[in-house]
Amino acid sequence: MLIKSLYFWRTYIGYVLVALIGTFLFAASLVGRFEQQIQEKTDSSLLYNARLLSQVFVSPLQNLNYPQIREVAESIAQNAGLRITVVDNKGVVLADTSENPFTMDNHLRRPEILLASSAGIGRATRYSFTLEEQFHYLAVPIFLQDRIVGFVRTARASSAMNAEISEANSVLLRNAAIVTFFVLLLAFYLSARQAMKVLELTTMADEISRGNFARRIPVGNALGMKKLAQAINQMARSSARSVTEITADRNRLATIFTCMVEGVVDVDMDQNILHINEAAVRMLSVNEKRSTGKPLWQEIRNQEIIDALDEAIKTFSVIKAQTRLDHESGQRVVDIYAASLSDDQGEPIGAVLVLHDITELKNLERVRTDFVANASHELKTPITAIRGLTETIIGDDGVDKETMVYFIERVHAQSLRLSQLVGDLMTISRLESSYSSEDFTKINFADLVRQAVKAAQSTAEHKGHKLVSDLPANEMELYGDRQNLSQLVDNLIDNAMKYTTDPGTIAITLKAENQMAVLEVRDSGIGISPQYQKRVFERFYRVDKARSQSLGGTGLGLSIVKNIVEKHSGTVSVKSQLGSGSTFIVKLPMEKLGVTEQA
Ligand code: ADP
């Protein structure tokens, strides 16, 4: 792990370079310094010895005691590791510790001797052909009462000096190598420790970035990275908070999105579906999983929607349109809203499509217009009849009384029809104008049905029908509108009697079943063929219009029944067989709507 860490190698190599450069510079500065010091030391030793000997040799020189000079020079040279040469003021070599003076040539023109005679000290470095080696020479004059009587020259071989220098250098190098070794060890330890810490921080930061916001970095021994560790921990805390908030917001939006009745589709600039809610999936008959990520125009065949979306994206505006969508439940009318979407910089990023199913609204609209047309038509028939009859009477002066009575009876019959029609229309309008179930009162439904049966008894007898009932003796309570419920029962009994042409039996039964009051009105009349059974509850629908009209029917009786039943949260259905009678079944809940009645 550590070996693979780039950070570790960078830090370590950095330390190593600094250590090596430092040691190198330090050593380099010392090498020059050593050389200089050795040279200075050599020079001062040469000078010291030369000066000393220039004093010592005054008297032997005066006494021409050359053997003494040679002897002293020899012993000093041995002790000090120098070469000593003594020359008289004529340049004749009197003594030399490395050569035989008698074989040596005149030294008066040697540079160091020339310099010593003129400046007091003469220095020179040159190759000695005598000894075949490089030498450093230093010469001083020997004075006798201010008169130069000779010269003492001390010399040291460069090789001796170089050996000393290289000895010093090798010691220096050895020490530098040891120091470098320890520095490198220390650097390894420090960079490894730091790299481990950075690795730890990186791993944790990585985990946090992957969403594990519960992780925290221990701050304690954080190698000067305490602040960084604290900052990362703080970042984890605030990220966790932000993520929680964003998730909650996203969930809220997703729930709204899912629960919306309107179909919503979110697309990018290429119309690829990013999100699609359930309502849109249903409306567009697409598969959410398969369609997401694909272009909308590829998934649906509706040109109006595609055009609206195109237009919204192109013009950067809201486009409204309408279309029809085929659905298994039939064709649906849908309002289209397509709006372009932009990011916080105002750059377009796609569009959102909202589909509003207005089929019910359209149907309601159609039902209303149909109703108005039907009602006008129904009203027009008796009015036209009354008008025709009265105009005939008015236009005929010699009409006899019998004819007059006939006409007036016809007018009367039409006005009754008109009044029945207006009455039914008013009932419908009253039922349609919303009234709340809170206005319902407690009603003994068995009693209400009993009274209706009783009221119909004379008409039934008059028509030769047998009206039988099977009603519960005890109370059967439900909540409802008394007047409406009476009308419901009346309409059903009335129809049963109307559409039982020959004398027959009308049976009314009432029983309680699963908390429902079940009312059945059965007749032995003409019956309804299966294809009309559903439609008889529609307004103005009559199986046989002429028959209904001749019986004083308006075609609204059963639609009123249905309306009342629905207001009471019940159901109505019919069972019938053509020629052998019909049974209308009404089921009404016996509990207070919304509130369960306490026993
Ligand atoms: P109408 O005023 O014509 O009776 P309704 O709405 O009460 O209007 O009934 C609609 C139609 O349903 C009637 O015209 C009739 O054709 C049929 N219908 C209703 N009740 C019965 C019944 N008991 N037996 C046979 N047909 C019926």
Side-chain angles (χ1 to χ4, degrees), residues 273-447:
I273 301 171
L274 302 175
H275 301 103
I276 181 164
N277 75 347
E278 274 172 35
V281 164
R282 263 196 318 274
M283 282 184 201
L284 299 171
S285 308
V286 294
N287 180 304
E288 186 187 347
K289 284 221 172 81
R290 221 186 39 227
S291 300
T292 306
K294 292 196 183 130
L296 187 69
W297 46 262
Q298 193 180 303
E299 296 298 297
I300 64 167
R301 292 275 162 272
N302 187 293
Q303 202 53 44
E304 281 98 349
I305 294 179
I306 294 165
D307 288 349
L309 210 55
D310 253 348
E311 185 84 356
I313 292 176
K314 268 194 211 123
T315 59
F316 206 54
S317 58
V318 179
I319 305 294
K320 290 179 190 160
Q322 201 172 75
T323 189
R324 283 174 188 278
L325 292 171
D326 287 325
H327 204 258
E328 44 194 43
S329 62
Q331 215 177 43
R332 313 294 298 176
V333 186
V334 173
D335 270 347
I336 308 166
Y337 298 87
S340 61
L341 290 174
S342 51
D343 62 12
D344 46 3
Q345 254 95 56
E347 287 299 311
I349 51 166
V352 65
L353 179 76
V354 178
L355 302 171
H356 189 197
D357 187 339
I358 55 158
T359 316
E360 303 303 325
L361 221 66
K362 283 270 170 197
N363 282 347
L364 224 61
E365 232 172 73
R366 208 197 57 239
V367 168
R368 271 183 207 287
T369 30
D370 283 1
F371 179 68
V372 172
N374 283 330
S376 317
H377 182 73
E378 292 293 332
L379 286 167
K380 211 178 150 200
T381 317
I383 288 170
T384 313
I386 290 170
R387 205 175 131 194
L389 290 164
T390 47
E391 274 172 6
T392 314
I393 299 169
I394 293 164
D396 192 348
D397 289 342
V399 67
D400 58 58
K401 193 172 175 208
E402 211 175 308
T403 315
M404 179 79 91
V405 171
Y406 170 76
F407 272 90
I408 289 172
E409 274 176 358
R410 297 271 304 274
V411 168
H412 182 243
Q414 288 300 329
S415 68
L416 279 181
R417 185 167 138 69
L418 201 59
S419 137
Q420 175 75 37
L421 203 59
V422 171
D424 281 354
L425 286 173
M426 281 171 74
T427 307
I428 287 188
S429 117
R430 204 181 60 241
L431 288 169
E432 298 248 302
S433 63
S434 62
Y435 67 81
S436 148
S437 62
E438 280 171 15
D439 301 333
F440 285 1
T441 53
K442 199 190 260 186
I443 291 162
N444 182 350
F445 193 50
D447 226 31

Side-chain angles (χ1 to χ4, degrees), residues 495 498-499 523 528 536 541-543 548 553-555 557-558 582 584:
N495 274 356
K498 264 197 313 197
Y499 298 106
D523 63 54
I528 308 163
V536 291
Y541 186 79
R542 285 165 283 203
V543 177
S548 162
T554 58
L558 285 181
S582 318
F584 283 85

Side-chain angles (χ1 to χ4, degrees), residues 79-134:
N79 285 333
L82 302 174
R83 175 185 171 192
I84 296 166
T85 314
V86 184
V87 181
D88 71 7
N89 53 2
K90 302 273 180 331
V92 178
V93 179
L94 304 177
D96 190 280
T97 53
S98 297
E99 262 302 316
N100 182 0
F102 302 112
T103 60
M104 289 167 75
D105 54 3
N106 191 295
H107 272 49
L108 200 61
R109 307 237 47 94
R110 293 286 196 272
E112 63 276 7
I113 303 293
L114 284 175
L115 271 170
S117 69
S118 61
I121 296 177
R123 289 186 178 85
T125 300
R126 64 166 193 284
Y127 188 78
S128 158
F129 290 99
T130 326
L131 295 173
E132 294 175 339
E133 208 180 340
Q134 175 110 340

Side-chain angles (χ1 to χ4, degrees), residues 137-323:
Y137 296 102
L138 191 141
V140 293
I142 304 167
F143 288 103
L144 181 67
Q145 290 154 6
D146 296 339
R147 190 171 59 86
I148 296 173
V149 289
F151 297 93
V152 176
R153 189 181 74 171
T154 48
R156 191 150 195 239
S158 290
S159 60
M161 230 166 76
N162 288 344
E164 205 174 325
I165 288 169
S166 62
E167 167 69 16
N169 282 347
S170 71
V171 169
L172 178 73
L173 269 179
R174 201 173 53 241
N175 289 346
I178 292 167
V179 167
T180 307
F181 175 74
F182 283 109
V183 166
L184 292 188
L185 268 188
L186 187 69
F188 185 87
Y189 169 73
L190 284 179
S191 42
R193 234 184 106 190
Q194 191 151 348
M196 294 288 275
K197 196 71 213 172
V198 169
L199 261 176
E200 194 186 355
L201 289 179
T202 315
T203 312
M204 295 206 185
D206 256 3
E207 275 195 44
I208 290 167
S209 75
R210 275 200 297 273
N212 186 358
F213 301 115
R215 281 306 292 261
R216 291 287 179 274
I217 298 167
V219 178
N221 57 348
L223 251 188
M225 292 187 195
K226 191 173 169 181
K227 277 243 150 41
L228 180 63
Q230 279 171 338
I232 291 176
N233 285 345
Q234 182 55 35
M235 191 182 74
R237 267 192 293 275
S238 55
S239 298
R241 227 182 358 257
S242 306
V243 166
T244 313
E245 280 167 15
I246 291 168
T247 312
D249 278 355
R250 204 188 52 196
N251 289 348
R252 199 173 302 133
L253 275 176
T255 313
I256 294 171
F257 194 62
T258 312
C259 295
M260 272 175 80
V261 185
E262 285 81 12
V264 183
V265 188
D266 175 19
V267 297
D268 64 12
M269 290 299 280
D270 301 321
Q271 288 198 21
N272 291 317
I273 301 171
L274 302 175
H275 301 103
I276 181 164
N277 75 347
E278 274 172 35
V281 164
R282 263 196 318 274
M283 282 184 201
L284 299 171
S285 308
V286 294
N287 180 304
E288 186 187 347
K289 284 221 172 81
R290 221 186 39 227
S291 300
T292 306
K294 292 196 183 130
L296 187 69
W297 46 262
Q298 193 180 303
E299 296 298 297
I300 64 167
R301 292 275 162 272
N302 187 293
Q303 202 53 44
E304 281 98 349
I305 294 179
I306 294 165
D307 288 349
L309 210 55
D310 253 348
E311 185 84 356
I313 292 176
K314 268 194 211 123
T315 59
F316 206 54
S317 58
V318 179
I319 305 294
K320 290 179 190 160
Q322 201 172 75
T323 189

